[in-house]
């Protein structure tokens, strides 16, 4: 049985808590974002996007004739904090959906509560365990799974002629499966030693770095978050490693660059990015008060815009806040050919109310979902830090 057929047949079975919520005057939605912690550089932009879309829809009369009430909670990029916040959103605030989770551990951590209460989840998390854990077909991921990250980054760096590698990564769901994807592409014969993992917030990474570079690899790949990567990179620099250092762009933002200074030059990093020519991306820049610089801005903020837009369009399309019906409608408003393309929630709502079939194309990407609720088709970008700035080396569509 496919996820879609499961949803089509389960709407009635899932209705009890959803119907209670639907009887409320406002539609309650939970925004659970990483405003601090490892996702802190991205959470505020996601939060702001959720708020902007909700406010715009409310100003135009709401959805299903009802206003949107947005409840905001900070996950702190911590699964224990997130579970407590999700419990409040579900039990106290009676939300119909929880959107905006960032780290895979948070998304997976709150999933049992969301599944039990039949709550839609929308995330930008990349663990391959997410679709496995989603037994009810209620999770929609606006970020490619991490094996895809690994394969895409490997394809990009292979085009630079790098031939042998040493790998180590932060020990979590996100990076472990990313390493698998990277190895799948470069091949085990290109590895100078077995990959290994380290823990976050170690007091020192000296022994790990010594092990990483002891066979003088041409390049090292270290998928991680900014705090631990900064500490690891400092140790690489102290030990005099001169090969290529490859990581993910989550690790190389302003915090990293300001901490290591000119030593950051030469670091190569990759990341899924919005299509810069997309009308929805350009609309996002205007909404966020940003100048179009031709460079990627707010990669997670754009996803936040898309999450709230898709959710509200699906509710309007479904004619209800019932979770199974809304989940089915999410595919209806995002995926499939021969429909009217819309780039924002206002145009989408107008088209639905006029009886038209729509395909929402988002600011973070085209927003097409596979049968497991995973987003299809994203651009990946490889950059190198030069003179303290990110210089794009190559892009590919994946």
């Amino acid at each position: 049985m496919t996820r879609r057929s499961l949803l089509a047949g389960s709407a009635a079975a899932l209705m009890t808590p959803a119907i209670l919520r639907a009887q409320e005057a406002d539609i309650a939605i939970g925004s659970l974002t990483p405003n601090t912690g490892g996702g802190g550089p991205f959470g505020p932009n996601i939060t702001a996007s959720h708020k902007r879309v909700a406010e715009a829809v409310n100003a135009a009369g709401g959805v299903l004739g009802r206003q949107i009430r947005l409840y905001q909670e900070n996950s702190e990029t911590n699964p224990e904090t997130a579970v407590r916040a999700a419990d409040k959103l579900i039990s106290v605030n009676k939300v119909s959906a929880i959107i905006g989770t960032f780290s895979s551990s948070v998304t997976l951590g709150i999933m049992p509560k969301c599944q039990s209460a039949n709550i839609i989840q929308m995330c930008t998390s990349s663990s391959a365990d997410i679709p496995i854990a989603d037994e009810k077909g209620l999770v929609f991921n606006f970020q490619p799974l991490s094996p895809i990250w690994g394969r895409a980054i490997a394809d990009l760096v292979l085009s630079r002629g790098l031939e042998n590698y040493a790998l180590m990564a932060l020990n979590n769901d996100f990076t472990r499966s990313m390493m698998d994807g990277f190895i799948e592409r470069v091949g085990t014969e290109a590895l100078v030693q077995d990959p290994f993992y380290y823990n976050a917030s170690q007091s020192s990474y000296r022994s790990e770095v010594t092990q990483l570079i002891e066979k003088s690899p041409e390049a090292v790949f270290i998928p991680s978050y900014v705090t631990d990567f900064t500490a690891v990179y400092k140790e690489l620099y102290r030990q005099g490693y001169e090969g290529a250092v490859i990581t993910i762009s989550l690790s190389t933002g302003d915090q990293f660059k300001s901490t290591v200074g000119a030593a950051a030059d030469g670091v190569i990093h990759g990341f899924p990015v919005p299509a810069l020519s997309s009308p929805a991306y350009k609309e996002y820049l205007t909404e966020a008060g940003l100048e179009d610089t031709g460079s990627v801005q707010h990669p997670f903020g754009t996803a936040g815009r898309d999450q709230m837009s898709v959710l509200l369009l699906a509710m309007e399309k479904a004619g209800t806040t019932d979770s199974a019906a809304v989940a089915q409608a999410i595919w209806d408003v995002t995926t499939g050919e021969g429909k009217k393309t819309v780039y924002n929630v206002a145009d989408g709502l107008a088209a639905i109310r006029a009886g038209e079939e729509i395909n929402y194309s988002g600011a973070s990407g085209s927003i097409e979902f596979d049968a497991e609720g995973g987003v299809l088709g994203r651009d990946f970008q490889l950059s190198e830090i030069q003179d303290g700035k990110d210089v794009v080396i190559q892009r590919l569509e994946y």
Side-chain angles (χ1 to χ4, degrees):
M1 178 179 288
T2 68
R3 174 169 158 151
R4 280 193 165 202
S5 61
L6 171 67
L7 287 169
S10 63
L14 297 180
M15 285 181 67
T16 305
I19 288 295
L20 293 176
R21 286 189 293 273
Q23 292 172 349
E24 298 173 348
D26 294 338
I27 297 173
I29 296 171
S31 171
L32 181 56
T33 52
N35 301 331
T36 56
F42 312 106
N45 291 334
I46 304 172
T47 303
S49 294
H50 292 166
K51 184 178 179 181
R52 279 195 299 269
V53 174
E55 289 178 344
V57 169
N58 283 341
V63 168
L64 303 176
R66 298 158 61 189
Q67 292 286 285
I68 306 304
R69 180 180 290 271
L70 188 64
Y71 292 94
Q72 217 296 309
E73 295 286 341
N74 178 12
S75 73
E76 301 177 7
T77 327
N78 181 303
E80 293 181 358
T81 301
V83 168
R84 290 193 295 271
D87 187 55
K88 177 188 173 188
L89 290 169
I90 295 168
S91 301
V92 178
N93 304 130
K94 308 296 183 184
V95 298
S96 296
I98 294 179
I99 64 177
T101 53
F102 168 80
S103 72
S104 296
S105 59
V106 166
T107 297
L108 289 164
I110 71 168
M111 197 178 295
K113 288 186 178 293
C114 293
Q115 297 269 296
S116 178
N118 301 316
I119 297 292
I120 294 280
Q121 282 181 262
M122 291 182 166
C123 63
T124 51
S125 308
S126 297
S127 170
D129 290 335
I130 290 170
I132 297 171
D134 177 23
E135 296 179 353
K136 293 187 175 181
L138 299 177
V139 181
F140 292 85
N141 197 343
F142 288 67
Q143 190 73 268
L145 296 181
S146 50
I148 298 174
W149 288 49
R151 290 193 288 269
I153 292 171
D155 285 345
L156 289 164
V157 299
L158 283 169
S159 70
R160 292 173 60 82
L162 297 171
E163 295 182 354
N164 64 76
Y165 308 83
L167 280 59
M168 78 172 188
L170 176 66
N171 189 15
N172 66 19
D173 295 330
F174 172 52
T175 52
R176 283 195 299 269
S177 51
M178 188 184 306
M179 291 266 268
D180 292 340
F182 188 90
I183 295 167
E184 178 186 319
R185 279 294 196 266
V186 302
T188 55
E189 66 278 3
L191 305 184
V192 300
Q193 62 186 16
D194 290 337
F196 62 96
Y197 301 90
Y198 62 86
N199 296 316
S201 303
Q202 291 182 198
S203 59
S204 170
Y205 295 95
R206 179 178 298 176
S207 63
E208 286 83 2
V209 169
T210 299
Q211 178 182 347
L212 182 70
I213 65 175
E214 64 181 350
K215 295 186 178 180
S216 302
E218 187 177 358
V220 294
F221 178 46
I222 313 169
S224 53
Y225 293 141
V226 63
T227 301
D228 53 279
F229 178 73
T230 301
V232 167
Y233 187 75
K234 284 181 177 180
E235 188 60 41
L236 279 168
Y237 189 80
R238 277 194 290 267
Q239 294 193 29
Y241 179 66
E242 295 182 352
V245 178
I246 306 161
T247 187
I248 55 177
S249 301
L250 293 175
S251 305
T252 59
D254 292 341
Q255 178 181 334
F256 170 73
K257 295 183 182 74
S258 63
T259 300
V260 305
D265 285 356
V267 171
I268 299 168
H269 55 94
F271 194 58
V273 294
L276 302 186
S277 61
S278 161
Y281 177 73
K282 293 183 180 299
E283 288 181 9
Y284 174 87
L285 296 179
T286 300
E287 293 159 5
L290 299 172
E291 181 181 349
D292 189 349
T293 62
S295 300
V296 173
Q297 301 180 72
H298 292 198
F300 289 95
T302 53
R305 178 193 196 258
D306 294 338
Q307 289 168 356
M308 182 64 83
S309 297
V310 168
L311 178 64
L312 299 184
L313 289 170
M315 287 179 174
E316 186 73 27
K317 174 69 175 177
T320 178
T321 58
D322 168 67
S323 56
V326 171
Q328 179 61 50
I330 286 172
W331 277 293
D332 293 339
V333 301
T334 60
T335 306
E337 299 178 355
K339 302 177 181 180
K340 179 178 181 178
T341 301
V342 298
Y343 301 101
N344 57 67
V345 69
D347 289 347
L349 289 173
I352 290 170
R353 290 164 185 167
E356 297 179 276
E357 295 293 320
I358 68 165
N359 188 323
Y360 173 83
S361 184
S364 63
S366 61
I367 314 298
E368 301 268 337
F369 291 107
D370 64 20
E372 295 183 325
V375 73
L376 294 167
R378 288 293 301 273
D379 289 357
F380 276 80
Q381 178 174 289
L382 194 69
S383 300
E384 181 177 341
I385 301 176
Q386 299 176 6
D387 296 326
K389 297 182 179 180
D390 297 324
V391 176
V392 177
I393 299 170
Q394 188 178 354
R395 290 174 68 102
L396 60 82
E397 183 177 344
Y398 222 80

